[in-house]
Amino acid sequence: GQVSSVSVDENGNAWVLQRPSSIRTDQKGRAAPPVVVFDENGNFLRGFGGPGEGYDWPEIEHGIYVDPKGFVWLGGNGKTDNHLVKFTKDGKFVLQIGKKSASKGNDDTENVKQAADVFYYAKTNELFVADGYGNRRVIVFDGDTGKFKRMWGAFGNTPTDGVYQPPKVSEDARIPAKELTDRGPEQFVQPVHATRVSNDGKVYVSDRGGKRVQVFGLDGKFETQVFIDRYCEVPHCGNGQTAAGTAFSNDAEQKYLYVGGGIDIVILDRKSLKFVDVIGGGGLLGGGHQIATDAKGNIYVAQTNRGLQKLVYKGMGPV
């Protein structure tokens, strides 16, 4: 089915979340489970998932993340998906945050609303959630109990309800970012699609609708942002790039930030957010709905209706 997300564990296994409901009717009987695990060579290891006792399975599978403790977090972006679920690696249910169809909006501290992605930060034992398709915020929960900790919107503002309507800009009117004086919308533009926390405690939020990545401290204090092809900010632009999925390079300093979206993966210097290069997909990458890296520097690309790709790290070339 549609491959919506991928996460790589400490053993180099790729955990893939796919949507059995998206398979055409005459082949649904052959559908794999929603969670499918492959080794680094692409060999099937196991699978699990679907409705069960004691928890609500997502209506439309969207995000998967395997945390350093070995737990698997799942979320969905269906209309009733106002919750997150946590499992062991063998598919045993552990915890549910929120309830199905229970969200009260951006002020709600008990439920999410069509959350797109999560990331567990071990140093503080916290779960950072890109919340997401229905809300316009980052929300943080305790990694063990699911208790609410804090939340924020774009620029650290209080997140609000409502839908932002971006201005229509023709291709002829696109201008370089250096000539712009505005900093973009004061709220995230749905969907808030991914969140990652670096080793040095910086929170990177993919504001896909706003075509930007914003950076915060762990407390939600805004630090900086970079646009991804809003008005040709990067040298390689005009290909419908956006900030959908993000991942860090595997070196200790996490020197590079990979940003998936459109047909390529944009490489940025993580600390300065300056453009470095692109990994050109030739139309084959499908934008990287969500992306992940492994300990060897390889990049995994979840492409929704184009399946899963693994890009093998070959070392550094000239910049």
Side-chain angles (χ1 to χ4, degrees):
Q2 295 174 350
V3 178
S4 65
S5 186
V6 59
S7 181
V8 183
D9 67 18
E10 70 281 1
N11 297 315
N13 299 322
W15 292 71
V16 177
L17 185 65
Q18 62 95 23
R19 299 165 177 165
S21 62
S22 67
I23 296 176
R24 71 189 199 196
T25 303
D26 63 335
Q27 293 190 353
K28 285 189 183 296
R30 302 172 58 194
V35 178
V36 186
V37 188
F38 300 97
D39 68 17
E40 62 181 358
N41 296 314
N43 298 306
F44 172 80
L45 297 178
R46 61 188 178 277
F48 69 85
E53 186 176 351
Y55 63 86
D56 296 310
W57 188 259
E59 176 186 349
I60 300 177
E61 295 88 355
H62 194 277
I64 186 169
Y65 178 71
V66 182
D67 71 27
K69 291 184 175 181
F71 294 108
V72 183
W73 295 87
L74 301 168
N77 69 326
K79 291 183 178 180
T80 64
D81 292 333
N82 299 165
H83 58 290
L84 302 166
V85 280
K86 178 182 180 181
F87 297 88
T88 63
K89 283 187 174 181
D90 59 3
K92 181 181 178 181
F93 171 67
V94 176
L95 176 71
Q96 178 166 321
I97 300 175
K99 296 180 180 179
K100 206 171 187 68
S101 302
S103 174
K104 301 177 181 63
N106 280 280
D107 290 336
D108 193 341
T109 60
E110 296 183 357
N111 304 282
V112 295
K113 191 174 184 181
Q114 299 168 279
D117 181 56
V118 307
F119 187 91
Y120 173 81
Y121 187 59
K123 293 179 181 178
T124 59
N125 189 39
E126 291 178 330
L127 189 74
F128 290 75
V129 183
D131 182 34
Y133 275 82
N135 286 328
R136 302 157 69 180
R137 64 184 182 178
V138 174
I139 187 168
V140 184
F141 299 100
D142 181 272
D144 293 329
T145 65
K147 181 180 179 181
F148 168 77
K149 303 293 285 293
R150 58 193 175 280
M151 63 182 178
W152 66 86
F155 299 105
N157 295 329
T158 300
T160 61
D161 295 325
V163 178
Y164 170 75
Q165 297 294 338
K168 301 294 184 180
V169 180
S170 69
E171 289 297 315
D172 294 337
R174 293 168 68 94
I175 59 177
K178 64 183 179 181
E179 297 180 15
L180 296 174
T181 57
D182 73 296
R183 66 177 191 169
E186 293 297 310
Q187 290 290 337
F188 290 129
V189 185
Q190 295 157 314
V192 187
H193 204 258
T195 181
R196 297 287 182 268
V197 185
S198 61
N199 293 337
D200 56 2
K202 305 298 182 183
V203 184
Y204 292 77
V205 180
S206 298
D207 181 15
R208 193 178 87 176
K211 291 193 171 186
R212 60 188 175 183
V213 176
Q214 290 200 335
V215 186
F216 302 86
L218 293 172
D219 59 356
K221 183 179 180 181
F222 173 75
E223 294 189 4
T224 186
Q225 70 175 358
V226 60
F227 287 105
I228 305 295
D229 198 29
R230 183 179 64 147
Y231 295 105
C232 266
E233 283 78 4
V234 297
H236 186 81
C237 68
N239 289 321
Q241 291 297 130
T242 188
T246 53
F248 303 123
S249 58
N250 71 321
D251 55 288
E253 295 296 317
Q254 298 177 317
K255 185 174 182 179
Y256 299 108
L257 178 70
Y258 300 115
V259 184
I263 67 171
D264 302 318
I265 294 175
V266 176
I267 307 173
L268 303 176
D269 180 281
R270 182 180 68 84
K271 292 185 177 180
S272 70
L273 296 184
K274 290 183 178 179
F275 174 81
V276 176
D277 208 338
V278 296
I279 300 171
L284 296 178
L285 290 179
H289 186 252
Q290 294 287 5
I291 61 177
T293 51
D294 65 14
K296 297 180 180 179
N298 304 314
I299 302 175
Y300 291 77
V301 187
Q303 303 173 258
T304 55
N305 63 342
R306 296 187 180 189
L308 178 75
Q309 285 196 35
K310 177 182 179 180
L311 307 179
V312 179
Y313 179 68
K314 294 293 187 180
M316 291 296 295
V319 175

